[in-house]
Amino acid sequence: MPNITFSSPMHKDKTVYAVAGSHRDTVLKLAKENHIPIDFGCENGECGTCLVKTQRLDKKHGPMGAPLTDDEVKVLKSLGKITQAQIDEMRVDDLNHSEWRLACQMVLRDEDLLIEYPSR
């Protein structure tokens, strides 16, 4: 079970234990269950309201987070958080991860993370 630490400039950091590997539990779902005030809108990866910055805390392993969805790539690109060159590199190297994610799309895996989010 990974430790997920939610951090915001307006709230005290909160670390929660997450069940990993369900292939459907998202960062947003975990935040809602633990009363973490991450803004969200559509919940389907189209609006970008739930934008978060992620950082792996376990440096021993490579990124294990679920790949970006096509909608997520489109929104992150439109927000200027990833470039076409980064998208191309992710697809060529089959890595498909970014420090910027949409909380409604990022599925949790077994890795400790710091999730930074803006305050409401």
Side-chain angles (χ1 to χ4, degrees):
M1 289 186 11
N3 291 316
I4 310 297
T5 300
F6 291 92
S7 181
S8 170
M10 300 299 293
H11 302 282
K12 182 179 176 185
D13 288 2
K14 183 173 184 178
T15 300
V16 298
Y17 297 102
V19 175
S22 73
H23 303 286
R24 60 184 176 272
D25 287 346
T26 64
V27 168
L28 183 59
K29 180 180 179 195
L30 181 66
K32 290 165 106 179
E33 288 172 352
N34 289 279
H35 310 289
I36 310 290
I38 292 178
D39 276 341
F40 62 93
C42 69
E43 293 188 69
N44 61 10
E46 295 178 358
C47 72
T49 304
C50 64
L51 179 71
V52 295
K53 186 174 183 181
T54 65
Q55 179 181 347
R56 288 182 310 109
L57 298 177
D58 178 5
K59 303 296 184 191
K60 294 178 188 173
H61 303 94
M64 292 184 273
L68 279 73
T69 64
D70 290 338
D71 285 337
E72 192 174 14
V73 168
K74 184 171 48 174
V75 170
L76 291 174
K77 185 177 178 187
S78 73
L79 294 172
K81 298 300 182 183
I82 57 174
T83 64
Q84 186 61 48
Q86 289 171 312
I87 295 166
D88 295 342
E89 181 182 355
M90 284 187 274
R91 292 195 172 134
V92 168
D93 294 341
D94 199 27
L95 293 174
N96 209 7
H97 65 274
S98 168
E99 70 177 342
W100 293 100
R101 298 297 303 259
L102 300 180
C104 72
Q105 298 296 295
M106 184 178 181
V107 176
L108 296 167
R109 298 288 198 243
D110 193 16
E111 63 182 333
D112 295 344
L113 295 172
L114 172 65
I115 305 288
E116 297 177 70
Y117 65 97
S119 60
R120 286 188 176 174

